Amino acid sequence: MNSQTIQSPRGLDEFEDDSRWFYENQDKLKEYSGKFVAIKGRKVIASDKDVNKIIKEVDKQGENPSYLVIEFVYPEGTVVLF
């Protein structure tokens, strides 16, 4: 039995980086308060209150929404319980 190096699927590292950037930069995203944002390359590439519009917009841009970070920017002071 030989050992093989397991590699991450293409794009996983970028997805994780964008996700981390989203959570570490909430203060920079205040202008999107109350909206969903799609992030690629540490940049917001689409925003809207309707997540379905976000999906359509990124699709128009030639992006696969499944490979993008799409998150909701909660208004300041919102408490989210999980």
Side-chain angles (χ1 to χ4, degrees):
M1 177 180 220
N2 59 4
S3 64
Q4 295 179 352
T5 303
I6 298 174
Q7 295 181 346
S8 298
R10 182 174 164 82
L12 184 57
D13 290 339
E14 292 87 357
F15 182 91
E16 289 174 346
D17 186 52
D18 286 341
S19 182
R20 188 173 21 263
W21 181 86
F22 172 81
Y23 288 104
E24 291 175 352
N25 290 280
Q26 292 293 301
D27 56 323
K28 296 178 182 177
L29 299 169
K30 289 180 183 178
E31 68 183 279
Y32 303 104
S33 180
K35 295 181 179 180
F36 290 93
V37 293
I39 298 174
K40 181 182 179 192
R42 296 180 175 198
K43 294 179 184 172
V44 175
I45 62 168
S47 67
D48 200 282
K49 290 184 177 187
D50 183 344
V51 73
N52 292 313
K53 289 182 181 178
I54 294 276
I55 292 168
K56 288 177 185 175
E57 176 59 31
V58 297
D59 190 46
K60 278 187 206 176
Q61 294 178 30
E63 300 290 344
N64 183 336
S66 300
Y67 295 112
L68 298 176
V69 172
I70 299 177
E71 292 283 353
F72 186 76
V73 179
Y74 290 96
E76 193 171 348
T78 300
V79 177
V80 180
L81 303 175
F82 292 96

